[in-house]
Amino acid sequence: MEQVMRNFFLFLSKNKPLTRLAKKYGLRFGASRFVAGETIEQAVEVIKQLNKKGLAVTVDYLGEFVDNEQEANDMADHCIEAIEAIHREKLDAQLSLKMTSMGLDISEELVMRNMRRILDTAKLHDVFVTIDMEDYSRCQKTLDIFKRLKTEYDNVGTVLQAYLYRTVSDIEDLKNYHPNLRLVKGAYKEPPEVAFPDKKDVDENFKKIIKMHLLNGNYTAVATHDDAIIEYTKRLVKEYNIPNSQFEFQMLYGIRPERQEQLAREGYTMRVYVPYGTDWYGYFMRRLAERPANVAFVLKGVLRK
């Protein structure tokens, strides 16, 4: 049943008419639990509250299905606006973004132009930028662009997904770039030809890539809500005397906030992924696909209305 629900919400996440409808009607039906508002001003207020609790942030202006140059340029403008807000408000925050929102499906030249605009502004204000990973079909293109940008900028990292078979070799391939990597399980629906179908295999691969990347001496963001992975990471860094300054934990805004605060109190860097913007629908559906408990929470919110 859980797998059926997951597939259903992943299917909905790619539905363009529903995406347009969601933009029209705004953040309703529980989405505000996971999305920090539709404007940068609203997101700034959320980030300030998280910072007060000792939590760092990475902020993401949501955008999917970008299929024209003007929209991609507008998305880049929103990213620059977010960087300037981080600087102006003196927030403990970074920026995350997706290559498709920068025009990946249109042209590489457009992506590079937008990314250089963003990274130049980020460098000026000392803000780190993470390139999110999307579905498998865009993985290689994303990594190729990351490699090009990494030769020009120090303030850029990317994401690798534990459920893909290729990820171990990607860690090896990238190690000489000394990358700052966010490691995640992966939230897209991928076929068994390219991704582990069983959770236990994904978990084992997750542990394997965390260990590989940390022992390569590179900065590692362990993005998980899974206590088993969190405890594994704690044991690993203790065993190999890896300093807290070489890694951090990351979780999504609205999911396990008490655990986030607990990790921060224990002295770990705990970074919260805070999305905002009008194009929140696809992101929201993937969160519902990940955990049935999220669906129950949303239904309660709907019934109260």
Side-chain angles (χ1 to χ4, degrees):
M1 183 61 187
E2 189 171 317
Q3 189 60 41
V4 172
M5 286 179 71
R6 174 176 161 77
N7 291 344
F8 173 65
F9 284 109
L10 288 175
F11 166 75
L12 290 180
S13 75
K14 296 180 180 179
N15 188 294
K16 291 188 182 184
L18 287 177
T19 298
R20 287 193 292 271
L21 204 63
K23 274 186 177 180
K24 182 179 177 183
Y25 287 104
L27 278 171
R28 298 179 191 176
F29 306 124
S32 58
R33 181 191 177 181
F34 307 107
V35 180
E38 296 192 344
T39 67
I40 186 60
E41 290 79 17
Q42 291 170 326
V44 163
E45 292 310 308
V46 169
I47 295 166
K48 284 179 178 176
Q49 293 305 311
L50 292 168
N51 284 172
K52 278 183 188 173
K53 294 175 181 176
L55 301 168
V57 163
T58 183
V59 66
D60 181 5
Y61 182 76
L62 295 170
E64 303 187 27
F65 304 125
V66 170
D67 56 10
N68 66 78
E69 186 169 336
Q70 185 56 54
E71 202 173 348
N73 292 337
D74 290 345
M75 289 295 295
D77 289 342
H78 281 291
C79 290
I80 289 167
E81 179 187 43
I83 291 165
E84 289 171 343
I86 289 167
H87 172 70
R88 184 178 63 252
E89 302 288 342
K90 298 181 171 58
L91 303 174
D92 182 0
Q94 301 177 352
L95 177 76
S96 291
L97 54 79
K98 288 181 170 56
M99 290 283 89
T100 51
S101 69
M102 296 299 111
L104 184 67
D105 296 343
I106 303 165
S107 81
E108 191 168 318
E109 181 192 357
L110 176 62
V111 173
M112 291 300 290
R113 191 164 68 242
N114 278 327
M115 284 304 300
R116 287 189 178 111
R117 284 203 297 137
I118 291 164
L119 287 168
D120 284 341
T121 307
K123 187 177 181 180
L124 182 66
H125 296 312
D126 195 25
V127 174
F128 192 83
V129 178
T130 298
I131 299 168
D132 287 341
M133 189 55 72
E134 300 177 70
D135 61 347
Y136 180 81
S137 67
R138 298 177 174 95
C139 182
Q140 190 60 53
K141 277 197 279 188
T142 300
L143 291 179
D144 289 343
I145 290 169
F146 168 69
K147 287 177 184 177
R148 286 180 64 190
L149 292 168
K150 191 70 173 72
T151 62
E152 300 174 35
Y153 300 92
D154 292 327
N155 60 325
V156 63
T158 192
V159 179
L160 292 180
Q161 300 160 319
Y163 67 177
L164 296 181
Y165 302 135
R166 61 171 290 165
T167 299
V168 167
S169 61
D170 286 333
I171 294 262
E172 196 62 30
D173 180 52
L174 289 171
K175 74 177 181 183
N176 292 332
Y177 289 84
H178 304 292
N180 176 324
L181 294 180
R182 177 192 302 150
L183 304 179
V184 304
K185 285 190 181 181
Y188 293 84
K189 182 172 169 55
E190 300 292 1
E193 289 76 26
V194 300
F196 294 103
D198 295 331
K199 181 183 181 298
K200 63 176 174 48
D201 294 325
V202 177
D203 289 346
E204 285 310 305
N205 204 45
F206 201 179
K207 292 174 185 176
K208 184 175 183 178
I209 63 174
I210 290 168
K211 184 174 183 178
M212 279 181 71
H213 194 55
L214 281 169
L215 295 186
N216 282 342
N218 295 318
Y219 194 87
T220 307
V222 180
T224 184
H225 304 99
D226 185 337
D227 281 324
I229 299 295
I230 292 168
E231 293 307 315
Y232 168 80
T233 304
K234 288 181 180 179
R235 290 194 303 272
L236 184 73
V237 297
K238 194 172 181 183
E239 181 183 351
Y240 289 94
N241 295 313
I242 294 166
N244 284 8
S245 58
Q246 198 194 315
F247 73 98
E248 64 185 51
F249 292 109
Q250 294 189 2
M251 292 189 195
L252 300 170
Y253 175 63
I255 299 181
R256 306 200 68 196
E258 300 86 359
R259 187 68 167 117
Q260 295 174 14
E261 291 174 39
Q262 182 188 359
L263 286 166
R265 285 195 301 272
E266 289 173 9
Y268 298 104
T269 300
M270 174 64 237
R271 192 174 304 278
V272 184
Y273 183 97
V274 175
Y276 75 101
T278 57
D279 199 2
W280 51 266
Y281 173 79
Y283 174 86
F284 180 44
M285 287 298 122
R286 285 194 295 279
R287 298 296 74 76
L288 296 185
E290 282 172 353
R291 298 180 76 224
N294 293 341
V295 182
F297 176 89
V298 169
L299 287 175
K300 281 181 199 167
V302 172
L303 292 171
R304 283 196 204 106
K305 291 181 185 294

